[in-house]
Every structure is written in C-alpha cells, then in structure tokens.
Amino acid sequence: MPADPLHSAGKPQRSTTSQPPSGSGASAIEVRRSARRRRTVSAYREGDRTVVLIPARMSEAEEQRWVTVMLDKLAAQESKRVLGDAELSERAERLSAQYFDGRARPTSVRWVTNQNTRWGSCTPSEGSIRLSHRLQGMPEYVVDYVLLHELAHLLVPGHGPRFWRLLEAYPRTERAKGYLEGVVAAERLPHPPGARDE
C-alpha cells in the first residue's frame, strides 16, 4: 500500500487531540494540520478516534466549523450501513460492557417490522430486545441510545429515577432523544397535497 503523502516526511504538521462534540460517534478527535494541504479537508475513523486533516493556515474558528462538518458527513455515511441481527447483538454486548459493566445480558437482540409506534421493546423475563426497523439508517448514536435504553430495562424494569440514572452514563442520551422527538414531530406535520406522489 503506498504511503500517505500527507503523513510522509517533509514539512511538519501540527496535530491536536480533543474530546468530540456531543453526538459524534468517536471518543476523541485528532486534527492534523498540513502545510502541503491547500484547500481540501478530509476525515476518517481510526479505531475510537476520528482524524480530521486540514490545511495548516486554517484559523481555529474554521477548524472547529470543519470538524463539525466532517463529523456530520462521517455520521451520515455510517448511518447508511444497516446492521444485521448478529451485529446488533454484538453492539448490545459492547454497550453493556462499556456502560453497565456487562450486567445487562440479553438472550436475543433483533430487528422487527411490527413496531411502528415505539422504537424498541424489551421483555426482561425472557431477556429479549427488539428494535424497530424504522431505526435502520438513523445515526449510530441514536441506535446505540435505543439499545442502551432497552438494555437498561434488563436491570430496571420501569422508567423511574434509577432507570434514568443508568442512562446518564451515555453522553449522547439527550441528543438522541431530541433526534427521535424530531423524527416523530416531522411525521406529524401535514403534507401538502400531491407531495407524496412526487
């Protein structure tokens, strides 16, 4: 594989690492400035880190704006990937380990097509979790929130204070809830005549 010209020897580049804005899918953002890069900005995932490549001359304000733009672009690309049931189960296991010390152990996690009024459901007595197919294509942080919500029900059945305290560990809870509320609100908006036929 040829060497990446942006990372080859030559003019030094400045690199900074920071925590991401809430709602991004990565745990850290590394911004790499390059004197050889003139106008283009690009980004990619590297494990749990997001690397954003920008021109060295860019101001701090431009850097912040481009980081946000590139995080949104990556999230949009990732949201087009549809997870299968096996991947969904693996994701639930990882989320349980990360946020609940592995205490939430579902026996099954799968997509279903018969949940049109709720995003997910859980039967604690069986340990089964079902997610609505309507979540497919939504940003990963939203799917993760719904998965965590249902995993939390394996530990606390109702929606009392103990339940919500569990979800406080997930940093994108409020953003994900806002996203889902926006989807529901958009579905309730009146559609102009003929709009559905176009």
Side-chain angles (χ1 to χ4, degrees):
M1 190 162 123
D4 182 349
L6 295 172
H7 302 112
S8 59
K11 296 191 178 183
Q13 47 186 14
R14 185 167 65 89
S15 177
T16 57
T17 302
S18 62
Q19 290 306 110
S22 63
S24 68
S27 60
I29 298 163
E30 181 179 339
V31 177
R32 295 180 187 164
R33 290 177 172 264
S34 169
R36 296 174 64 181
R37 188 174 277 265
R38 297 283 176 226
R39 293 183 203 162
T40 60
V41 176
S42 62
Y44 60 91
R45 302 280 193 214
E46 194 173 74
D48 282 344
R49 172 194 315 259
T50 301
V51 178
V52 181
L53 307 168
I54 63 172
R57 62 175 174 69
M58 200 171 269
S59 71
E60 293 294 320
E62 288 176 307
E63 175 183 316
Q64 287 181 349
R65 184 177 73 80
W66 275 107
V67 165
T68 301
V69 166
M70 298 313 289
L71 287 174
D72 288 347
K73 278 190 174 184
L74 284 174
Q77 289 168 0
E78 290 165 352
S79 73
K80 290 176 183 168
R81 283 190 309 122
V82 176
L83 303 173
D85 287 350
E87 293 168 304
L88 206 55
S89 290
E90 289 169 15
R91 197 173 195 90
E93 187 177 325
R94 182 180 54 77
L95 289 167
S96 176
Q98 185 174 356
Y99 294 102
F100 303 145
D101 298 321
R103 292 177 296 134
R105 295 188 183 114
T107 55
S108 69
V109 183
R110 61 192 174 92
W111 295 108
V112 293
T113 56
N114 62 350
Q115 291 191 111
N116 294 314
T117 58
R118 51 173 52 181
W119 299 113
S121 61
C122 173
T123 307
S125 60
E126 298 173 3
S128 61
I129 290 175
R130 296 159 304 281
L131 295 192
S132 172
H133 71 286
R134 296 183 305 140
L135 288 164
Q136 292 175 336
M138 289 190 188
E140 288 186 4
Y141 74 91
V142 176
V143 176
D144 284 354
Y145 164 72
V146 177
L147 262 177
L148 278 166
H149 186 108
E150 302 310 331
L151 285 166
H153 279 309
L154 293 176
L155 304 174
V156 180
H159 287 104
R162 242 180 90 224
F163 173 84
W164 292 111
R165 270 197 302 276
L166 280 175
L167 286 179
E168 284 173 5
Y170 184 60
R172 293 175 281 283
T173 290
E174 290 307 314
R175 183 167 179 171
K177 284 167 65 177
Y179 184 100
L180 293 171
E181 287 168 6
V183 170
V184 170
E187 288 172 352
R188 291 182 180 152
L189 289 173
H191 297 280
R196 292 182 184 200
D197 301 329
E198 291 176 2

